[in-house]
Amino acid sequence: PELGVVEFHRIAATLPGPVFALGGLTPERIAALQPLAGAAVIGAVMHAPDAARATEALLEALSRAEPVRPRSA
C-alpha cells in the first residue's frame, strides 16, 4: 500500500539507516520525499510515452535533492 509523503517521513525519521523510495514515483514525489538515499522505479519509465525523457526527469529530481546526512545514534 502507498504510504503517502507524511507517513513516509514519519517512518523514515525512526530508521537508523538510509531510506529508499520504491514504486509509484514521479519527479514531483521524489522532490516531496527528500532526503532520499535513492529510489527504485519501473512503471514511471516503462509506461511513459518517452522513456528517455521520463528517466531524465527522475534523475533531475534526484540530483536536486539535498545530500543524505548520516543520522545520529
Coordinates of all heavy atoms in Angstrom, one line a residue:
P1 N 0.8 -1.2 0.0 CA 0.0 0.0 0.0 C 0.9 1.3 0.0 O 2.0 1.3 0.6 CB -0.8 -0.1 1.3 CG -0.1 -1.1 2.1 CD 0.7 -1.9 1.2
E2 N 0.3 2.3 -0.6 CA 1.0 3.6 -0.7 C 1.0 4.2 0.7 O 0.0 4.3 1.4 CB 0.4 4.5 -1.7 CG 1.1 5.8 -1.8 CD 0.4 6.6 -2.9 OE1 0.0 6.1 -3.9 OE2 0.3 7.8 -2.7
L3 N 2.2 4.7 1.1 CA 2.3 5.4 2.4 C 1.9 6.8 2.4 O 1.3 7.3 3.3 CB 3.8 5.3 2.9 CG 4.4 4.0 3.3 CD1 5.8 4.1 3.7 CD2 3.6 3.3 4.4
G4 N 2.2 7.5 1.3 CA 2.0 8.9 1.3 C 3.2 9.6 1.8 O 4.0 9.0 2.6
V5 N 3.3 10.9 1.5 CA 4.5 11.7 1.9 C 4.6 11.8 3.4 O 5.7 11.6 4.0 CB 4.5 13.1 1.3 CG1 5.6 13.9 1.8 CG2 4.6 12.9 -0.2
V6 N 3.5 12.1 4.1 CA 3.6 12.3 5.6 C 4.0 11.0 6.3 O 4.9 11.0 7.2 CB 2.2 12.9 6.1 CG1 2.2 12.9 7.6 CG2 2.0 14.2 5.5
E7 N 3.4 9.9 5.9 CA 3.7 8.7 6.6 C 5.1 8.2 6.3 O 5.8 7.7 7.1 CB 2.7 7.6 6.2 CG 2.8 6.3 6.9 CD 2.4 6.4 8.4 OE1 2.0 7.5 8.9 OE2 2.6 5.4 9.1
F8 N 5.5 8.4 5.0 CA 6.9 8.1 4.6 C 7.9 8.8 5.5 O 8.8 8.2 6.1 CB 7.1 8.5 3.2 CG 8.5 8.1 2.7 CD1 8.8 6.9 2.1 CD2 9.5 9.1 2.7 CE1 10.0 6.6 1.7 CE2 10.8 8.8 2.2 CZ 11.0 7.5 1.7
H9 N 7.7 10.1 5.7 CA 8.6 10.9 6.5 C 8.5 10.5 8.0 O 9.6 10.4 8.7 CB 8.3 12.4 6.4 CG 8.8 13.0 5.1 ND1 10.2 13.1 4.8 CD2 8.2 13.5 4.1 CE1 10.3 13.6 3.7 NE2 9.1 13.9 3.2
R10 N 7.3 10.1 8.5 CA 7.2 9.7 9.9 C 8.0 8.4 10.1 O 8.7 8.3 11.1 CB 5.7 9.5 10.2 CG 5.5 9.2 11.7 CD 4.1 8.7 12.0 NE 3.8 7.4 11.4 CZ 4.2 6.2 11.9 NH1 5.0 6.3 13.0 NH2 3.9 5.1 11.4
I11 N 7.9 7.5 9.2 CA 8.6 6.2 9.4 C 10.1 6.4 9.2 O 10.9 5.9 9.9 CB 8.0 5.1 8.4 CG1 6.6 4.8 8.8 CG2 8.9 3.9 8.3 CD1 5.9 3.9 7.8
A12 N 10.5 7.2 8.1 CA 11.9 7.4 7.8 C 12.6 8.0 9.0 O 13.8 7.7 9.3 CB 12.0 8.3 6.6
A13 N 11.9 8.9 9.8 CA 12.5 9.5 10.9 C 12.9 8.6 12.0 O 13.7 8.9 12.9 CB 11.6 10.6 11.5
T14 N 12.3 7.4 12.0 CA 12.5 6.4 13.1 C 13.6 5.4 12.7 O 14.0 4.6 13.5 CB 11.3 5.6 13.4 OG1 10.9 4.8 12.3 CG2 10.1 6.5 13.8
L15 N 14.1 5.4 11.5 CA 15.0 4.4 11.0 C 16.5 4.9 11.2 O 16.8 6.1 10.9 CB 14.7 4.1 9.5 CG 13.3 3.6 9.2 CD1 13.1 3.5 7.7 CD2 13.1 2.3 9.9
P16 N 17.3 4.0 11.5 CA 18.7 4.4 11.8 C 19.6 4.5 10.5 O 20.6 5.1 10.5 CB 19.3 3.2 12.6 CG 18.4 2.1 12.2 CD 17.1 2.6 11.9
G17 N 19.1 4.0 9.4 CA 19.9 4.0 8.2 C 19.3 4.8 7.0 O 18.3 5.5 7.2
P18 N 19.9 4.7 5.9 CA 19.4 5.4 4.7 C 18.0 4.9 4.3 O 17.6 3.7 4.5 CB 20.4 5.1 3.6 CG 21.2 4.0 4.1 CD 21.0 3.9 5.6
V19 N 17.2 5.8 3.6 CA 15.9 5.5 3.2 C 15.8 5.5 1.7 O 16.3 6.5 1.1 CB 14.9 6.5 3.9 CG1 13.5 6.2 3.4 CG2 15.0 6.4 5.4
F20 N 15.2 4.5 1.1 CA 14.9 4.4 -0.3 C 13.5 4.4 -0.6 O 12.7 3.8 0.2 CB 15.6 3.1 -0.9 CG 17.0 3.1 -0.8 CD1 17.7 2.8 0.4 CD2 17.8 3.4 -1.9 CE1 19.1 2.8 0.4 CE2 19.2 3.3 -1.9 CZ 19.8 3.0 -0.7
A21 N 13.0 5.0 -1.7 CA 11.6 5.0 -2.1 C 11.5 4.0 -3.2 O 12.3 3.9 -4.1 CB 11.2 6.4 -2.6
L22 N 10.4 3.2 -3.1 CA 10.2 2.1 -4.0 C 8.8 2.2 -4.6 O 7.8 2.1 -3.8 CB 10.4 0.8 -3.4 CG 11.7 0.5 -2.6 CD1 11.6 -0.8 -1.9 CD2 12.8 0.6 -3.6
G23 N 8.6 2.4 -5.9 CA 7.4 2.3 -6.5 C 6.5 3.6 -6.5 O 6.6 4.3 -5.5
G24 N 5.7 3.8 -7.5 CA 4.8 4.9 -7.6 C 5.4 6.2 -7.6 O 4.8 7.2 -7.2
L25 N 6.6 6.3 -8.1 CA 7.4 7.5 -8.1 C 7.2 8.4 -9.3 O 7.1 7.9 -10.4 CB 8.9 7.3 -7.8 CG 9.1 6.6 -6.5 CD1 10.6 6.2 -6.4 CD2 8.8 7.5 -5.4
T26 N 7.2 9.7 -9.1 CA 7.2 10.7 -10.2 C 8.3 11.7 -9.8 O 8.7 11.7 -8.6 CB 5.9 11.4 -10.3 OG1 5.6 12.1 -9.1 CG2 4.7 10.4 -10.5
P27 N 8.7 12.5 -10.7 CA 9.7 13.6 -10.2 C 9.1 14.4 -9.1 O 9.9 14.8 -8.1 CB 9.9 14.4 -11.5 CG 9.6 13.4 -12.6 CD 8.5 12.6 -12.1
E28 N 7.8 14.7 -9.1 CA 7.3 15.5 -8.0 C 7.3 14.8 -6.7 O 7.6 15.4 -5.6 CB 5.8 15.9 -8.4 CG 5.7 16.8 -9.6 CD 5.9 16.1 -10.9 OE1 5.7 14.8 -11.0 OE2 6.3 16.7 -11.9
R29 N 7.0 13.5 -6.7 CA 7.0 12.7 -5.5 C 8.4 12.6 -4.9 O 8.6 12.6 -3.7 CB 6.4 11.3 -5.7 CG 4.9 11.4 -5.8 CD 4.3 10.0 -5.9 NE 2.9 10.1 -6.2 CZ 2.2 9.3 -7.0 NH1 2.8 8.3 -7.6 NH2 0.9 9.4 -7.1
I30 N 9.4 12.4 -5.8 CA 10.8 12.3 -5.4 C 11.2 13.6 -4.7 O 11.8 13.6 -3.6 CB 11.7 12.0 -6.6 CG1 11.6 10.6 -7.0 CG2 13.2 12.3 -6.2 CD1 12.3 10.2 -8.3
A31 N 10.8 14.7 -5.2 CA 11.1 16.0 -4.6 C 10.4 16.1 -3.2 O 11.0 16.5 -2.2 CB 10.6 17.2 -5.5
A32 N 9.2 15.6 -3.1 CA 8.5 15.7 -1.8 C 9.0 14.7 -0.7 O 8.9 14.9 0.5 CB 7.0 15.4 -2.0
L33 N 9.7 13.6 -1.2 CA 10.2 12.6 -0.3 C 11.6 12.9 0.2 O 12.1 12.0 0.9 CB 10.1 11.2 -0.9 CG 8.6 10.7 -1.2 CD1 8.7 9.5 -2.0 CD2 7.9 10.6 0.1
Q34 N 12.2 13.9 -0.2 CA 13.6 14.2 0.1 C 13.8 14.4 1.6 O 12.8 14.9 2.3 CB 14.1 15.4 -0.6 CG 14.2 15.2 -2.1 CD 15.0 14.0 -2.5 OE1 16.0 13.6 -1.9 NE2 14.6 13.3 -3.5
P35 N 14.9 14.0 2.2 CA 16.1 13.5 1.6 C 15.9 11.9 1.4 O 15.4 11.3 2.3 CB 17.2 13.8 2.5 CG 16.5 13.9 3.9 CD 15.1 14.3 3.6
L36 N 16.3 11.4 0.3 CA 16.3 10.0 0.0 C 17.7 9.5 -0.3 O 18.5 10.3 -0.8 CB 15.5 9.7 -1.3 CG 14.0 9.9 -1.3 CD1 13.5 9.7 -2.7 CD2 13.4 8.8 -0.4
A37 N 18.0 8.3 0.1 CA 19.3 7.7 -0.3 C 19.2 7.2 -1.7 O 20.2 7.1 -2.4 CB 19.7 6.6 0.6
G38 N 18.0 7.0 -2.2 CA 17.8 6.5 -3.6 C 16.4 6.2 -3.8 O 15.5 6.3 -3.0
A39 N 16.1 5.8 -5.1 CA 14.8 5.4 -5.5 C 14.8 4.3 -6.5 O 15.8 4.2 -7.3 CB 14.1 6.7 -6.1
A40 N 13.8 3.5 -6.5 CA 13.6 2.4 -7.5 C 12.4 2.6 -8.3 O 11.3 2.8 -7.7 CB 13.6 1.1 -6.8
V41 N 12.5 2.7 -9.6 CA 11.4 3.0 -10.4 C 11.3 1.9 -11.6 O 12.4 1.5 -12.0 CB 11.4 4.4 -11.1 CG1 11.3 5.4 -10.0 CG2 12.6 4.6 -11.9
I42 N 10.1 1.5 -11.9 CA 9.9 0.7 -13.1 C 8.8 1.3 -14.0 O 9.0 1.7 -15.1 CB 9.6 -0.8 -12.8 CG1 10.8 -1.4 -12.0 CG2 9.2 -1.6 -14.0 CD1 10.5 -2.8 -11.5
G43 N 7.6 1.4 -13.4 CA 6.5 1.9 -14.1 C 6.6 3.3 -14.6 O 6.1 3.6 -15.7
A44 N 7.3 4.2 -13.9 CA 7.4 5.5 -14.3 C 8.2 5.6 -15.6 O 8.0 6.6 -16.4 CB 8.1 6.4 -13.2
V45 N 9.0 4.7 -15.9 CA 9.8 4.7 -17.1 C 9.1 3.8 -18.1 O 8.9 4.2 -19.3 CB 11.2 4.2 -16.8 CG1 12.0 4.0 -18.1 CG2 12.0 5.2 -15.9
M46 N 8.7 2.6 -17.8 CA 8.2 1.6 -18.7 C 6.8 2.1 -19.3 O 6.5 1.7 -20.4 CB 8.0 0.3 -18.0 CG 9.3 -0.4 -17.6 SD 10.5 -0.6 -18.9 CE 9.7 -1.8 -19.9
H47 N 6.0 2.8 -18.5 CA 4.7 3.2 -19.0 C 4.7 4.7 -19.6 O 3.7 5.2 -20.0 CB 3.7 3.1 -17.9 CG 3.5 1.7 -17.4 ND1 2.9 0.8 -18.1 CD2 4.0 1.2 -16.2 CE1 2.9 -0.4 -17.4 NE2 3.6 -0.1 -16.2
A48 N 5.9 5.3 -19.6 CA 5.9 6.7 -20.1 C 5.9 6.7 -21.6 O 6.5 5.7 -22.2 CB 7.2 7.3 -19.6
P49 N 5.3 7.6 -22.3 CA 5.4 7.7 -23.7 C 6.8 7.9 -24.2 O 7.1 7.4 -25.3 CB 4.5 9.0 -24.1 CG 3.8 9.3 -22.8 CD 4.5 8.7 -21.7
D50 N 7.6 8.5 -23.5 CA 9.1 8.8 -23.8 C 9.9 8.3 -22.6 O 10.1 9.1 -21.7 CB 9.3 10.2 -24.2 CG 10.7 10.5 -24.6 OD1 11.6 9.7 -24.4 OD2 10.9 11.6 -25.3
A51 N 10.4 7.1 -22.7 CA 11.1 6.5 -21.5 C 12.4 7.3 -21.2 O 12.8 7.5 -20.1 CB 11.4 5.0 -21.8
A52 N 13.1 7.8 -22.3 CA 14.3 8.5 -22.1 C 14.0 9.8 -21.3 O 14.7 10.2 -20.4 CB 15.0 8.8 -23.4
R53 N 13.0 10.5 -21.7 CA 12.6 11.8 -21.1 C 12.2 11.5 -19.6 O 12.5 12.3 -18.7 CB 11.6 12.5 -21.9 CG 11.1 13.8 -21.2 CD 12.3 14.8 -21.1 NE 12.0 15.8 -20.2 CZ 12.8 16.2 -19.1 NH1 13.9 15.7 -19.0 NH2 12.4 17.1 -18.3
A54 N 11.4 10.5 -19.4 CA 11.0 10.1 -18.1 C 12.2 9.9 -17.2 O 12.2 10.3 -16.0 CB 10.0 8.9 -18.1
T55 N 13.1 9.1 -17.7 CA 14.3 8.8 -16.9 C 15.1 10.1 -16.6 O 15.5 10.3 -15.5 CB 15.2 7.8 -17.7 OG1 14.5 6.6 -18.0 CG2 16.5 7.5 -17.0
E56 N 15.2 11.0 -17.6 CA 15.9 12.2 -17.3 C 15.2 13.0 -16.3 O 15.9 13.6 -15.4 CB 16.0 13.1 -18.6 CG 16.9 12.5 -19.7 CD 16.8 13.2 -21.0 OE1 16.0 14.2 -21.1 OE2 17.5 12.8 -22.0
A57 N 13.9 13.1 -16.3 CA 13.1 13.9 -15.3 C 13.3 13.3 -13.9 O 13.5 14.1 -12.9 CB 11.7 13.9 -15.7
L58 N 13.3 12.0 -13.8 CA 13.5 11.3 -12.5 C 14.9 11.6 -12.0 O 15.1 11.9 -10.8 CB 13.3 9.8 -12.6 CG 11.8 9.5 -12.8 CD1 11.7 8.0 -13.3 CD2 11.0 9.6 -11.5
L59 N 15.9 11.5 -12.8 CA 17.3 11.7 -12.4 C 17.5 13.2 -12.1 O 18.3 13.5 -11.1 CB 18.3 11.3 -13.6 CG 18.4 9.8 -13.8 CD1 19.2 9.5 -15.0 CD2 19.0 9.2 -12.6
E60 N 16.9 14.1 -12.8 CA 17.0 15.5 -12.4 C 16.4 15.8 -11.0 O 17.0 16.5 -10.2 CB 16.2 16.4 -13.5 CG 16.9 16.5 -14.8 CD 16.0 17.2 -15.8 OE1 15.0 17.8 -15.5 OE2 16.3 17.0 -17.0
A61 N 15.3 15.1 -10.7 CA 14.6 15.3 -9.4 C 15.6 14.8 -8.3 O 15.7 15.4 -7.3 CB 13.3 14.6 -9.4
L62 N 16.2 13.7 -8.6 CA 17.2 13.1 -7.6 C 18.4 14.0 -7.4 O 18.9 14.2 -6.3 CB 17.6 11.7 -8.0 CG 16.6 10.6 -7.6 CD1 17.0 9.3 -8.3 CD2 16.4 10.5 -6.1
S63 N 18.8 14.6 -8.5 CA 20.1 15.4 -8.5 C 19.8 16.7 -7.8 O 20.8 17.3 -7.2 CB 20.6 15.6 -9.9 OG 19.8 16.6 -10.6
R64 N 18.6 17.2 -7.7 CA 18.3 18.4 -7.0 C 18.1 18.2 -5.5 O 18.0 19.1 -4.7 CB 17.0 19.0 -7.5 CG 17.1 19.7 -8.9 CD 15.9 20.5 -9.3 NE 14.7 19.7 -9.3 CZ 14.2 19.1 -10.3 NH1 14.8 19.1 -11.5 NH2 13.1 18.4 -10.2
A65 N 18.1 16.9 -5.1 CA 17.9 16.6 -3.7 C 19.1 17.0 -2.8 O 20.2 17.0 -3.3 CB 17.7 15.1 -3.6
E66 N 18.8 17.3 -1.6 CA 19.8 17.6 -0.7 C 20.5 16.3 -0.3 O 19.9 15.2 -0.4 CB 19.3 18.3 0.6 CG 18.0 17.8 1.1 CD 17.5 18.5 2.3 OE1 18.1 18.2 3.4 OE2 16.6 19.4 2.2
P67 N 21.8 16.3 -0.1 CA 22.5 15.1 0.3 C 22.0 14.5 1.5 O 21.5 15.1 2.4 CB 24.0 15.6 0.5 CG 24.0 17.0 0.2 CD 22.6 17.5 0.0
V68 N 22.0 13.2 1.5 CA 21.6 12.4 2.7 C 22.6 12.5 3.8 O 23.8 12.3 3.5 CB 21.3 10.9 2.4 CG1 21.0 10.1 3.6 CG2 20.2 10.8 1.3
R69 N 22.3 12.9 4.9 CA 23.2 13.1 6.0 C 23.0 11.9 7.0 O 21.9 11.5 7.3 CB 22.9 14.4 6.8 CG 22.9 15.6 5.9 CD 23.5 16.8 6.5 NE 23.3 18.0 5.8 CZ 23.8 18.3 4.6 NH1 24.6 17.4 4.0 NH2 23.7 19.5 4.0
P70 N 24.2 11.4 7.5 CA 24.1 10.3 8.5 C 23.2 10.8 9.7 O 23.3 11.9 10.1 CB 25.5 10.1 8.9 CG 26.3 10.7 7.8 CD 25.5 11.8 7.3
R71 N 22.5 9.8 10.2 CA 21.7 10.2 11.4 C 22.5 9.9 12.7 O 23.3 9.0 12.7 CB 20.4 9.3 11.4 CG 19.6 9.6 10.2 CD 18.4 8.7 10.2 NE 17.8 8.8 8.8 CZ 16.6 8.7 8.6 NH1 15.8 8.4 9.5 NH2 16.1 8.9 7.4
S72 N 22.2 10.7 13.7 CA 22.9 10.5 15.0 C 22.3 9.2 15.6 O 21.1 9.0 15.5 CB 22.6 11.7 15.9 OG 23.1 12.9 15.3
A73 N 23.2 8.5 16.3 CA 22.8 7.3 17.0 C 22.1 7.7 18.3 O 22.2 8.7 18.9 CB 23.9 6.4 17.2

